[in-house]
Amino acid sequence: MKHLVEVEKGREGTNKTPSVGPAYRSAFAKDGFPPPIPGLDSCWDIFRLAVEKYPNSQMLGRRQIVDGKAGEYTWQSYKDVYDIVMKLGTSIRSLGIKKGGRCGIYGANCPEWIMSMEACNAHGIYCVPLYDTLGAGAVEFILCHAEVEIAFVEEKKIGELLKTLPASAKFLKTIVSFDKVKPEQREEVEKHGLAIYEWNDFLLVGGDKQYDLPVKEKDDICTIMYTSGTTGDPKGVLISNRSIISVIAGLKLLLESVNEEVGVGDVYMSYLPLAHIFDRVVEEIFIYHGASIGFWRGVCIVVQIRSSHVLMHFPGSYQVLLEDNSGCLYESLSQTSLLCGDVKGLVEDMGVLKPTIFCAVPRVLDRIYSGLQAKISAGGFLKKALFGIGYNYKKGNIFKGAKHQDAGFVFDKLVFSKVKGGLGGRVRVILSGAAPLAKHVEEFMRVVTCAHVLQGYGLTETCAATMVSLPNDISMLGTVGPPVPNIDVRLESVPEMGYDALGTTPRGEICIRGESIFSGYYKRDDLTQEVLVDGWFHTGDVGEWQPNGSMKIIDRKKNIFKLSQGEYVAVENLENIYGNLPEIDSIWVYGNSFESFLIAVINPNRQAIENWAQSNGISGDFEALCGNPKVKEYILGQISSFAKEKKLKGFEVIKAVHLDPEPFDIERDLLTPTYKKKRPQLLKYYQDVINGLYQSNK
């Protein structure tokens, strides 16, 4: 296959083991994986080498707020940050915390987050991120499970951390605020025998003491990054120095091979949570290349998904996403829409920062798409006609093989420059990760943003970077591309779901091998042995190789059940399919072995439902519409037609639905902080609804 080289043959299965397909790696690594980068043996070296090469380059920036107004970004150079990191490290060591100790970091992305992380890296202390979206219960579990001794905390999160006392005090002895500490907080902390410091005061704790930096080996653990499961407690993923520096080497080779190297002049907008591996790895890459990282002013809390697509939620109604000088590209979002915090502030921050690389989760790009479509529909005849001509012209050229920068002709300046300007005007690469990006959204964004739009795939256990589509290759539309050049990938058959890794179209569970794979689950060897077999990490995701060597994610292995007539249902695949209906924001499909048909709980798309109701003479607010039998009948009709269009089997067609105007969220424990549906909790929450749907449809 193009873009791949085969490194191992496939093999037939036995009575005990399924068949496996050939093992492939990136064609960019046909002569072997990239060699180790000289001097790069640990995460600390990533930062240390950057300070040596680019001491005066801008590293971390934030907007200063003066009289309630945000000004320009002010920057700390690599040398400025290094000096603070060394003071932090000295203060941590003066408390008796040594190599192998545990340091928690809890809060939204900011310079202090990065500095705390680098201080850990300097002294071989395990960095343990605490999710900004987790409640006190999970935070308490992680603090105790990881045996965290010191925690750096955003000022507004101190109260949440205090809720973990006294349980966390068994290990936790010191709390450091990113900013100030209130007197009542200090009193509460000291009551439990802990010490608490404001940021500037803690920098002085080490005084004039001197500590040699310990030797850090490649196989030393640098981070315990907890991932939330759909059931049970979070799992602590052990990530070594080797994992991260392997990813750095692989992505360096990949970017050089496609002429998109990151350089000292690149700028990144940090808004996706640093507590997740996606943003952590991206920022490590920027640091390695001496590039700049600017932080936005909002606080991102993820509370809803559409199918597997992420929806970040902001309270209140804001104008969001894209704006030209006349404000014509704002999208109005309601309380159940996009991101939390000041969304308008994100747009304004991007306008000031002017990032060159923009990382996003699919729901952000979904909303950009929806907002632009709404503006196009509301525009006058001439604007709509001009956009349509420009879009079709550029799209046609792209599908004929033209590079995106050459495909638009004059339309990039006349039409699409406004979209580019809404993202700051300098974005050249948009990388979507964390969930599948709808094919029609990806196609649209490739045309209108004047940037490469790429999909990536990875897990915390694979250190994020596993596969990514390549620039200027339209054949990879709708896929996550080929492997990055530091891993091997193969498929393993899943017979019970009908997936054959040796079939004409190879399908099966995605398995990954390489130095970027995690070292195991902390204190859970049993779970480690379940997913790491003979050096291969079993992702649980089902993929399909494409003729061009790219991978398409098509299903999830574990989400399968049998209906009463004996038919197996791959429920996540169905949710992905039905989730593409414009009337559906999010869907949970349910069935069991005692019933013969499927039902679903749906979060409908408000605008689509209200528009249909208005055109059909049906009145009522959104909540009333969701309970209206005619609306349910309409949704079922759309589902039935879509199922026929997608050639689904009869038992895969949903027969009854409940429309819930309130999106699935974390607050009701229906979603994990990594945006996956908690199916047992969904069943418990909607049990009465489920019973009613089955009883009324028999």
Side-chain angles (χ1 to χ4, degrees):
M1 286 185 280
K2 186 181 178 183
H3 300 300
L4 297 179
V5 292
E6 184 178 321
V7 293
E8 283 181 13
K9 297 290 184 183
R11 58 172 170 77
E12 296 289 344
T14 66
N15 291 333
K16 295 183 178 180
T17 60
S19 59
V20 296
Y24 296 103
R25 68 179 52 161
S26 167
F28 298 134
K30 63 181 184 297
D31 298 322
F33 292 144
I37 299 172
L40 200 63
D41 295 319
S42 70
C43 288
W44 171 245
D45 292 327
I46 296 172
F47 175 56
R48 177 185 61 80
L49 291 174
V51 174
E52 291 178 6
K53 294 178 183 177
Y54 318 104
N56 299 316
S57 293
Q58 296 176 342
M59 181 181 177
L60 306 178
R62 58 157 50 110
R63 295 184 75 181
Q64 295 300 315
I65 309 299
V66 180
D67 296 328
K69 295 183 179 181
E72 293 295 315
Y73 272 84
T74 58
W75 293 90
Q76 292 167 291
S77 71
Y78 275 80
K79 181 62 167 62
D80 294 335
V81 174
Y82 177 86
D83 290 342
I84 296 173
V85 166
M86 296 307 290
K87 289 181 180 180
L88 275 180
T90 297
S91 294
I92 294 172
R93 290 290 299 275
S94 72
L95 301 177
I97 301 171
K98 301 177 181 179
K99 180 181 178 181
R102 317 296 159 81
C103 172
I105 306 179
Y106 187 22
N109 299 11
C110 62
E112 290 78 16
W113 209 112
I114 292 290
M115 294 174 191
S116 303
M117 178 189 78
E118 295 296 358
C120 293
N121 290 342
H123 293 272
I125 296 166
Y126 296 7
C127 171
V128 184
L130 301 168
Y131 284 23
D132 198 36
T133 52
L134 291 180
V139 172
E140 179 182 319
F141 172 82
I142 294 172
L143 288 170
C144 296
H145 188 261
E147 302 175 17
V148 169
E149 303 163 77
I150 181 172
F152 290 86
V153 189
E154 181 185 4
E155 183 179 353
K156 68 172 71 173
K157 291 295 177 184
I158 293 175
E160 290 298 316
L161 193 69
L162 295 185
K163 293 178 183 178
T164 70
L165 299 172
S168 63
K170 181 178 180 180
F171 303 102
L172 183 64
K173 303 303 177 187
T174 307
I175 299 171
V176 182
S177 170
F178 285 162
D179 196 2
K180 303 295 183 183
V181 177
K182 296 176 181 177
E184 59 269 25
Q185 292 173 333
R186 187 178 302 279
E187 182 180 344
E188 178 70 14
V189 167
E190 292 175 351
K191 183 174 72 176
H192 292 282
L194 279 67
I196 188 168
Y197 297 91
E198 294 184 353
W199 179 263
N200 289 332
D201 292 338
F202 187 72
L203 292 175
L204 304 176
V205 167
D208 296 327
K209 296 176 183 176
Q210 299 288 328
Y211 296 94
D212 292 333
L213 299 186
V215 175
K216 292 165 283 293
E217 306 291 342
K218 287 185 178 179
D219 289 323
D220 288 345
I221 301 302
C222 66
T223 293
I224 307 178
M225 190 164 282
Y226 281 79
T227 65
S228 57
T230 53
T231 60
D233 294 318
K235 295 176 291 187
V237 178
L238 295 168
I239 298 176
S240 67
N241 288 314
R242 185 183 298 277
S243 293
I244 291 182
I245 61 179
S246 169
V247 168
I248 297 291
L251 290 176
K252 180 175 181 289
L253 173 59
L254 173 65
L255 292 169
E256 289 172 351
S257 300
V258 297
N259 298 313
E260 286 294 341
E261 301 96 326
V262 175
V264 69
D266 276 305
V267 180
Y268 179 67
M269 170 63 79
S270 176
Y271 76 102
L272 297 176
L274 267 164
H276 295 292
I277 194 66
F278 182 20
D279 197 72
R280 167 70 186 270
V281 165
V282 170
E283 298 203 22
E284 291 280 16
I285 292 167
F286 268 69
I287 292 169
Y288 173 75
H289 288 93
S292 303
I293 300 169
F295 298 90
W296 78 305
R297 291 170 287 156
V299 182
C300 174
I301 301 177
V302 180
V303 299
Q304 183 187 349
I305 62 173
R306 172 186 177 183
S307 182
S308 58
H309 295 180
V310 177
L311 175 59
M312 297 158 146
H313 174 76
F314 285 80
S317 179
Y318 294 93
Q319 300 291 330
V320 67
L321 295 180
L322 297 172
E323 179 190 24
D324 65 9
N325 292 333
S326 63
C328 74
L329 289 180
Y330 268 172
E331 178 191 0
S332 295
L333 294 180
S334 68
Q335 191 161 354
T336 57
S337 292
L338 180 64
L339 294 164
C340 91
D342 183 358
V343 165
K344 187 175 180 181
L346 174 59
V347 179
E348 292 174 352
D349 287 351
M350 290 188 71
V352 175
L353 183 66
K354 295 179 171 47
T356 57
I357 310 288
F358 181 59
C359 291
V361 290
R363 194 56 176 176
V364 173
L365 300 179
D366 286 349
R367 288 294 170 176
I368 294 176
Y369 170 82
S370 298
L372 287 171
Q373 289 289 347
K375 279 318 231 180
I376 294 164
S377 298
F381 173 78
L382 288 177
K383 286 185 178 180
K384 288 170 67 176
L386 181 61
F387 183 91
I389 293 169
Y391 183 88
N392 291 328
Y393 177 86
K394 186 174 180 180
K395 173 186 169 183
N397 286 338
I398 289 174
F399 273 86
K400 290 175 184 175
K403 294 181 178 180
H404 86 81
Q405 59 267 37
D406 302 325
F409 187 52
V410 72
F411 294 107
D412 278 346
K413 289 186 177 181
L414 284 178
V415 180
F416 306 127
S417 60
K418 293 179 179 180
V419 180
K420 186 178 181 72
L423 296 173
R426 297 180 62 214
V427 172
R428 59 186 174 87
V429 175
I430 297 173
L431 177 61
S432 177
L437 178 63
K439 190 173 181 179
H440 67 281
V441 175
E442 181 183 353
E443 176 189 289
F444 183 83
M445 299 299 287
R446 283 183 180 228
V447 175
V448 306
T449 59
C450 304
H452 297 300
V453 179
L454 312 176
Q455 279 206 72
Y457 168 81
L459 302 87
T460 306
E461 290 89 341
T462 64
C463 213
T466 303
M467 287 175 261
V468 64
S469 56
L470 303 180
N472 289 319
D473 191 334
I474 196 63
S475 70
M476 293 188 182
L477 185 70
T479 77
V480 295
V484 294
N486 59 287
I487 61 163
D488 294 328
V489 178
R490 76 180 185 189
L491 298 180
E492 183 176 288
S493 297
V494 188
E496 64 271 26
M497 299 177 76
Y499 295 128
D500 184 2
L502 295 174
T504 306
T505 301
R507 299 185 181 100
E509 182 181 8
I510 299 169
C511 301
I512 300 161
R513 179 179 64 186
E515 292 191 341
S516 58
I517 299 300
F518 76 130
S519 301
Y521 295 116
Y522 185 50
K523 299 181 181 178
R524 292 301 307 266
D525 288 342
D526 56 329
L527 296 179
T528 303
Q529 291 169 14
E530 286 181 14
V531 297
L532 268 179
V533 182
D534 297 329
W536 288 95
F537 172 66
H538 290 64
T539 66
D541 290 315
V542 176
E544 175 185 289
W545 284 120
Q546 305 299 296
N548 61 7
S550 59
M551 181 72 76
K552 184 177 182 180
I553 311 299
I554 60 172
D555 210 341
R556 179 75 184 162
K557 181 181 177 183
K558 293 182 180 179
N559 293 327
I560 182 172
F561 55 80
K562 187 187 290 186
L563 294 174
S564 60
Q565 66 270 44
E567 300 285 3
Y568 281 101
V569 177
V571 65
E572 189 153 331
N573 182 45
L574 290 181
E575 289 171 347
N576 288 335
I577 292 171
Y578 288 128
N580 286 317
L581 276 167
E583 293 83 6
I584 295 176
D585 270 353
S586 189
I587 180 170
W588 170 53
V589 176
Y590 178 77
N592 61 52
S593 58
F594 298 100
E595 304 291 350
S596 61
F597 61 92
L598 299 176
I599 59 177
V601 177
I602 292 172
N603 299 147
N605 180 275
R606 183 170 190 154
Q607 184 177 357
I609 295 303
E610 290 179 344
N611 288 346
W612 179 85
Q614 184 178 8
S615 62
N616 286 271
I618 300 174
S619 61
D621 59 19
F622 184 51
E623 185 173 352
L625 291 175
C626 287
N628 190 304
K630 291 184 178 179
V631 177
K632 292 182 182 180
E633 185 179 341
Y634 166 67
I635 292 290
L636 281 171
Q638 295 298 100
I639 286 173
S640 180
S641 298
F642 199 61
K644 187 178 294 184
E645 177 188 332
K646 296 298 179 182
K647 299 181 179 178
L648 297 182
K649 297 168 185 172
F651 65 85
E652 294 176 317
V653 181
I654 295 166
K655 303 299 184 184
V657 297
H658 170 74
L659 304 183
D660 191 343
E662 185 176 359
F664 303 142
D665 54 30
I666 291 173
E667 285 75 8
R668 291 177 292 166
D669 199 33
L670 303 181
L671 300 178
T672 74
T674 48
Y675 332 130
K676 299 180 181 72
K677 297 183 184 75
K678 288 188 170 183
R679 296 180 189 275
Q681 287 84 340
L682 282 161
L683 177 58
K684 182 179 179 181
Y685 186 85
Y686 289 107
Q687 187 67 68
D688 291 342
V689 170
I690 295 299
N691 293 341
L693 288 174
Y694 276 121
Q695 289 170 8
S696 61
N697 285 276
K698 286 183 178 177

